[in-house]
Amino acid sequence: MAQQVHTRLWSEYVGTELTAPQFAVLLVLALEPGADQRTVGERASLDKATMAEMVARLVRRGLVLRRRDPADGRRKLLALSQSGAQAVREATGGVVRVQRTLFEPLSPDEQLELVRTMARIARMEPAAVAVIADARPTLDAQRAIGYLIRVAQQVHTKLWSEKVGTELTAPQYAVLDALETEPGADQRTVGELASLDKATMAEMVSRLVRRGLVLRRRDPSDGRRNLLSLSPTGQELLHRSTAGVREVQEALLASLEPHEHAPALALLAKAARL
């Protein structure tokens, strides 16, 4: 949910010209001009394939310059173009607003604790962590809470794939779990329980209905409302996935001491406005 809040704030304050991962790449290049593509990908927490595709896109947009390393033809050296440097400057104010808004529900001590916690969940070095307090010309991506949330989400996605598999995504599991808790609930209520916006929820329910995992019918007392329930197949898949979901949660928090789990989840919930 914290990732969803971050995505919404990014769209509101930064816009759609640059995604958060693209900004992370440009920011690394602002801090380390001439770095090779592998190093930039590591700094921005992007896998090799994603980084290659993103760099190609940024080069086509004229934001990044790419050349072969004369000392090693297999390495690609990257630098910001003038347009890329301007894009970083223009986006920085919005990025800072995103970080500050994410922090708004938290006290200064809670902000610092959340950053430390997210850095540990994201498997990052403690030395890379600090709270952003002001808008500097360039921001160290590893010091941004939004960046830490994104990297932690990548860790979660990897663990989910390993332990739950590909039959259900995490948001789909949340929908099925909500329907087991409140069978026959209307679509809007289930979306709220699963922390999904209206459009995402509508698309997801249609997909789950097509797969035979969810049953949908019109509310006889209000034709505008859809009432949802689990199908037997959906219930079976939910129960079969639950052990893996529990393992994901345990693995995600494995870098924290047991007594830190509840406070960490409470801080995340507070930042996510839950």
Side-chain angles (χ1 to χ4, degrees):
M1 181 58 185
Q3 175 67 14
Q4 293 172 1
V5 173
H6 178 264
T7 300
R8 177 177 58 80
L9 292 172
W10 187 277
S11 177
E12 182 177 347
Y13 293 134
V14 183
T16 58
E17 289 296 306
L18 280 181
T19 65
Q22 288 172 343
F23 178 80
V25 168
L26 297 185
L27 187 55
V28 170
L29 289 174
L31 297 168
E32 299 185 40
D36 66 274
Q37 187 165 308
R38 180 187 60 80
T39 298
V40 176
E42 291 174 353
R43 299 281 194 274
S45 297
L46 297 169
D47 62 69
K48 184 176 179 181
T50 302
M51 181 62 184
E53 181 182 348
M54 186 176 296
V55 167
R57 189 177 300 118
L58 292 171
V59 168
R60 288 195 299 270
R61 291 178 58 188
L63 300 178
V64 168
L65 305 174
R66 178 176 55 189
R67 66 184 179 90
R68 292 284 182 183
D69 183 347
D72 183 349
R74 295 169 300 176
R75 296 172 74 231
K76 296 172 183 176
L77 305 181
L78 307 177
L80 289 180
S81 66
Q82 288 186 348
S83 297
Q86 182 178 349
V88 172
R89 288 193 297 270
E90 291 177 350
T92 295
V95 174
V96 172
R97 290 187 69 187
V98 171
Q99 314 307 327
R100 287 178 173 169
T101 305
L102 277 169
F103 273 149
E104 275 179 359
L106 307 177
S107 69
D109 286 344
E110 288 175 329
Q111 293 173 14
L112 182 57
E113 185 58 33
L114 179 61
V115 169
R116 288 172 175 165
T117 297
M118 293 304 299
R120 290 165 67 188
I121 291 174
R123 279 57 171 175
M124 296 181 65
E125 292 298 324
V129 181
V131 176
I132 291 178
D134 54 18
R136 292 169 289 168
T138 58
L139 303 171
D140 182 346
Q142 294 188 355
R143 299 183 180 189
I145 184 59
Y147 174 85
L148 294 174
I149 289 172
R150 179 172 68 81
V151 177
Q153 178 64 33
Q154 291 172 350
V155 173
H156 178 271
T157 299
K158 180 174 181 292
L159 289 171
W160 188 276
S161 177
E162 292 173 357
K163 299 182 181 301
V164 181
T166 58
E167 282 191 276
L168 279 180
T169 65
Q172 288 171 344
Y173 179 87
V175 169
L176 298 189
D177 187 55
L179 283 174
E180 181 162 70
T181 303
E182 296 201 26
D186 67 273
Q187 188 164 308
R188 181 185 60 79
T189 299
V190 177
E192 291 173 355
L193 290 171
S195 300
L196 296 170
D197 62 69
K198 184 178 179 181
T200 302
M201 181 63 185
E203 181 182 351
M204 185 175 298
V205 166
S206 294
R207 189 176 300 117
L208 293 172
V209 168
R210 288 196 298 271
R211 291 178 59 191
L213 302 177
V214 168
L215 305 174
R216 177 175 56 190
R217 65 185 179 89
R218 290 290 183 184
D219 184 345
S221 63
D222 184 349
R224 296 170 299 176
R225 296 170 74 228
N226 289 323
L227 303 182
L228 308 176
S229 59
L230 284 178
S231 70
T233 304
Q235 189 170 52
E236 189 276 332
L237 180 55
L238 174 69
H239 293 171
R240 181 155 40 91
S241 303
T242 296
V245 173
R246 192 176 299 115
E247 289 179 16
V248 170
Q249 181 89 336
E250 292 171 355
L252 198 63
L253 298 176
S255 57
L256 306 179
E257 296 297 328
H259 70 273
E260 296 176 307
H261 291 184
L265 292 174
L267 276 179
L268 274 171
K270 193 172 181 180
R273 281 69 169 170
L274 294 178

